[in-house]
Amino acid sequence: MNHIIWRTGPWGNSSLAHENEPVVKDDQTDIYPVNCAKVDWPNQPWRLLYNKDSDISLDTGTAALGAPITASGDIYATVYLDFNWQATQDFDVTLQWDITTSSTSGSIFPTLYWLWDTIEGTDDYYFDTPADNGTIDITLPASTYGRFQAYADGLGAEDVVNVQTEASII
Amino acid sequence: MNRFFQLPNGSVIPFIPKCGLASTAGSIFFHQKKIKGHNFKLTRPVLNHDNKPALAPIRDAVERFKSAVYQVNKGDQSITVDEILDGLEAGTYRNQHFQSQTDILKGCEGCESVKLYRFPEDFKQMLIDGGLDQLIEHRNKSTDKLELTEEQETRVRAFYAEDIALRATLD
């Protein structure tokens, strides 16, 4: 059964549902793009807030569905992906990750984590130490306000001196 | 280089694969949600323990090895027990799931204290001692029980001799 829900956003969180898009995209503001399931609003494209964090740099911004975000570091590189959603029906997204190093020896220790929760009180999470690359499908429920957060993290082991972590929501 | 979960009571848990990582992350998530102060970034293990007290789960080395073999063969990955053992003994196969627990614990040097818990027997108590709620459910649990040959188990016991000795101090 479909439901009618009032639109929130364009940015916000569960407490501040109607925030304007911030000039400076920074996860410290704790507000995120509010999307319509997996499609564009009539006047707002689907977006997420990314945070590229490593031992040598930090960068935030917005990205479209399917756009790969890559963080680079000497020791570690983490990509955070955050968005909120409203949806009248359940929908699926895919989290993609690919962690690499240019070091000829050593290995990468990947970590993957996603979670979502809704204003209706439902939630789910996933934490794993996965293979260096892959995809995972996630079903997000119909909700008047949901929050999705994920990160892919690559940590270089021993003599690794270069790590790239790429992640995207497809 | 090691990672640490930060716990609400100011202690840390070293990042030891195949010793309840998914359940620990879940417990931190539900704790933060309960106190309505959720900060997802705090669930990411950090590289420094900041001299805080450490709580560390220690698992039977053979059982942990079996679980690690299952882990690295999930999806389209495929590597045999003998290939893993050959690589570990030769130092050519490096994977976080097979890093010895005693090696990981060296990263706790400088911690105010290090308290060891048997995994899985005392895992819930470890979470409680860290200020978290008891485990709601066990995530990422191996569903296929690997059987090692006698020769393979002997090799595992030899490779993880220090882990076996450490665990014996807790039993």
Side-chain angles (χ1 to χ4, degrees), chain A residues 82-130:
Chain A
D82 300 276
F83 65 87
N84 295 333
W85 82 86
Q86 297 183 281
T88 56
Q89 295 180 326
D90 298 356
F91 64 103
D92 295 331
V93 295
T94 299
L95 173 60
Q96 169 271 333
W97 74 96
D98 187 12
I99 302 170
T100 57
T101 177
S102 59
S103 292
T104 53
S105 62
S107 59
I108 301 293
F109 290 174
T111 306
L112 186 73
Y113 193 16
W114 60 255
L115 65 85
W116 59 259
D117 57 3
T118 68
I119 203 165
E120 290 84 10
T122 56
D123 56 46
D124 198 9
Y125 77 95
Y126 178 85
F127 183 95
D128 198 11
T129 46

Side-chain angles (χ1 to χ4, degrees), chain B residues 62-63 65-67 69-70 80-82 85 142-154 156:
Chain B
V62 176
E63 291 302 314
F65 177 83
K66 291 179 182 178
S67 182
V69 173
Y70 173 82
T80 68
V81 171
D82 287 331
L85 285 170
S142 306
T143 54
D144 293 330
K145 279 295 176 188
L146 173 72
E147 293 297 330
L148 299 176
T149 66
E150 192 173 319
E151 181 196 352
Q152 287 170 339
E153 183 163 333
T154 299
V156 172

Side-chain angles (χ1 to χ4, degrees), chain A residues 126-142:
Chain A
Y126 178 85
F127 183 95
D128 198 11
T129 46
D132 294 352
N133 57 75
T135 61
I136 186 167
D137 297 329
I138 305 158
T139 298
L140 300 178

Side-chain angles (χ1 to χ4, degrees), chain A residues 80 111 123 125 129 158, chain B residues 3 33 44 94 97 139:
Chain A
Y80 293 92
T111 306
D123 56 46
Y125 77 95
T129 46
E158 300 164 1
Chain B
R3 292 177 281 201
K33 189 172 177 181
R44 177 181 174 275
R94 297 186 212 174
H97 303 98
R139 293 281 182 102

Side-chain angles (χ1 to χ4, degrees), chain A residues 61-72:
Chain A
T62 60
L65 196 66
I69 308 301
T70 304
S72 298

